[in-house]
Amino acid sequence: MLKEWLVHEASAEAEQFAREIGIAPVVGQILWRRGIRTRAAANDFLHPEEAPFHDPFLMADMEPAVDRILRAIAGREPIVVYGDYDVDGMTSTVILTKNIRALGGDVSYYIPNRFTEGYGINLPALEELHAAGCVLLVTVDCGIASVDPVAAMRGEMDIIVTDHHLPGAQLPPAHAVLNPHRTGCAYPEKELAGVGVAFKLCQALWRRHTQRSYEDDLDIVALGTVADLVPLVGENRKIVRHGLRVMTEGPCVGMRALIAAAGLEDKTINTGHVGFQLAPRLNAAGRLETARRGVELLSSELPAEAERIAEALNALNTERRDLEWEILTAARQELADFTPDMPAIVVAGEDWNAGVIGIVASRLVDIYYRPSIVLTRQDDVYKGSCRSIAGLHMYEALAACRDTLIQFGGHAMAAGLSLLPERLPEFRTAFSDYVRTHLTPADFMPKVEIMALVPPTDWTVPLIEELALMEPYGMGNPRPVFGARDIRPQSAAAIGGEGKHLRLELGSDAGRVAVLYWNHGDLAAVLAEESVDIAYIPNINEWQGVTSVQCTADSLRPAACELVFPERELLKRIYRRLHAMQSPTGAVPYELPALTCRLRSLEGHISQYTVARAMDIFHELGLLEPLPDGTWKLIPSRRKMELTEAPTYRRYKERKEDEGHVK
């Protein structure tokens, strides 16, 4: 899928700022663009390890929370930590349980089942815990919206709520509510994850109990912080910078086993490893079974036990990926008739795993770049997960369709819903109509922010090391992407198992740099003869003791010279070529890159962009059908067609007319 480039122009003020504080101009441009414009702010950002942690007692209700927990510890009152089934909830549960126990408390934990209990505090669980002897319950990463269950247990048990989600109009009537977002809370870091709030509670407990400065367990705190996608600025940045170092140099027993299971031993752990390899293995437990396995792993002090649990989570993660692929394949079969005019995606299946459909919705956004909703039928109700794109507020879109729904909730980019099966057609129409009226065609093209136009061959190892001061990357501090236009690779090769990945060699014999593009090995033959624009990330590669520059492509797009739209005569020629290629069953046995190379051998130079637009037009006219394996099947036509019946061609002609009027 092509991406629109949003290129930032260099600023003279930023260049001056970089000189004043003694950093590379490219780093100064990024800091300036991200609102960091003083020496003090730059030092805090580039060296977060030097700043102290904020005083935990600045958080509203910290005093009564600490007093009540320490009183329960002193009196040997049974304490239960009530967590959530995602990684933030698991890590929060682990550190609070561990530290209350270390302080001498009688503590256990409870995590609700995703499938039978759902998210947050539920009253039957509270009643069961009370009947089993719980006197004090402390929530982590949940509870801020649980006004009624907390109220129902008043006089039965004391409840302390620690959470980071936005409060509603009314706080739960708990003994204490720790949440930096609550009105009147003076705590300066508002964007802590749930595990960050639990960490501040642990800091306060240790300070009050023994005057100890608690900065332990940062590997676990960083894991939950990165996994929950909170902004990695301020105190979160300090937590993650410290925590990644601990993960690399001396993680806890369970974390070490998780790192080994992910194949990351002897690597310098970064946020990408956490977000895409470590966190998914823990999340698999909550998505398919119970999150208790994740808590057991991170709490384990026995290497053999930790290795056994980590391998079990590995197996669950493999099962999760298989389920995800199965559901995604079924969803894409439903979308076989997708055209650029389709404003939104709503797919539904019978008994699709409810713990996986959110991931599938995200995958559909990646593939089609449309607001996507995946529904699974459970008994007589459809339940769904929703993912949006920039420009569409998902919660507001669902609110506009509320008459067709049983319930819904969420925020701008993600949400959940439920509806009756008989209302599905009505909801699909209402949702699509809302998206169509609130987004423009330009909104359906994904964007990539280009921090600067820099040829990949201009990078040096020292410059990339200085750029690395911007780490850790994540929400609020995305990894900077750079761009280079009109690049003709010296060579293009498919590498890895079965030629899965693409390696481009750029530059000249005097200075070459490799660009890797994961999962796009099929483009090798095409790019051997095409010029491209490359959006990329510079990295340092170490191999057999040699350190060098190597880049990773975020995305490629045809250079301007390759953006040739197929007009009527070229479309006729391509269609005739397809007919000549087809098998007796009508199959055109080439995927897009191979088809481009085949047509190039017959027609002379033709870009993959041109071929792709031609195939889109033929599909929209009903002349061919895309097959699941990436090839096509020609469909005989019995009537004369107008090219303007194809949305892709019609929009092209309208754009050309508009350009003519402007001229």
Side-chain angles (χ1 to χ4, degrees), residues 365-386:
V365 171
D366 292 341
I367 295 168
Y368 299 100
Y369 205 66
R370 296 292 188 274
S372 299
I373 299 177
V374 181
L375 301 160
T376 180
R377 185 163 180 164
Q378 298 179 341
D379 298 323
D380 294 326
V381 173
Y382 274 123
K383 294 187 177 181
S385 286
C386 319

Side-chain angles (χ1 to χ4, degrees), residues 213-261:
S213 177
Y214 166 75
E215 296 186 8
D216 299 341
D217 305 315
L218 283 168
D219 52 343
I220 298 174
V221 183
L223 173 60
T225 299
V226 173
D228 215 55
L229 301 178
V230 294
L232 296 190
V233 296
E235 197 164 34
N236 287 335
R237 185 168 169 79
K238 177 180 176 67
I239 287 170
V240 174
R241 175 75 71 88
H242 272 290
L244 292 175
R245 184 178 298 123
V246 176
M247 286 187 208
T248 300
E249 298 175 357
C252 68
V253 171
M255 186 76 74
R256 187 183 302 279
L258 184 64
I259 289 170

Side-chain angles (χ1 to χ4, degrees), residues 333-344:
Q333 288 174 350
E334 277 196 42
L335 296 167
D337 292 329
F338 176 86
T339 70
D341 273 2
M342 188 179 292

Side-chain angles (χ1 to χ4, degrees), residues 419-451:
L419 74 160
L420 295 172
E422 58 266 28
R423 304 301 295 272
L424 177 56
E426 184 183 357
F427 167 72
R428 182 181 273 120
T429 299
F431 182 71
S432 295
D433 288 346
Y434 181 93
V435 175
R436 186 179 287 109
T437 57
H438 285 76
L439 295 181
T440 67
D443 292 319
F444 295 124
M445 176 174 283
K447 315 293 191 293
V448 57
E449 188 177 10
I450 303 295
M451 294 308 303

Side-chain angles (χ1 to χ4, degrees), residues 59-61 144 165-171 177 179-187 190:
M59 195 174 295
D61 275 5
I144 197 65
H165 298 97
L166 293 175
Q170 182 181 358
L171 293 178
V177 177
N179 188 324
H181 288 294
R182 59 177 287 190
T183 302
C185 180
Y187 195 75
K190 301 298 183 184

Side-chain angles (χ1 to χ4, degrees), residues 47 57 146 236 238 246 282 508 515 529 536 564 571 591:
H47 305 285
F57 286 99
S146 303
N236 287 335
K238 177 180 176 67
V246 176
L282 290 171
S508 63
V515 176
E529 298 185 42
Y536 70 91
V564 177
L571 286 169
E591 295 181 47

Side-chain angles (χ1 to χ4, degrees), residues 574-617:
I574 292 175
Y575 191 66
R576 284 197 295 268
R577 297 292 191 188
L578 295 177
H579 261 284
M581 295 177 196
Q582 69 178 325
S583 69
T585 62
V588 179
Y590 299 100
E591 295 181 47
L592 183 60
L595 178 62
T596 301
C597 293
R598 178 68 176 141
L599 288 171
R600 188 178 289 165
S601 69
L602 299 169
E603 288 286 328
H605 185 76
I606 185 171
S607 72
Q608 181 165 293
Y609 169 86
T610 304
V611 177
R613 298 295 77 77
M615 302 305 275
D616 288 341
I617 292 167

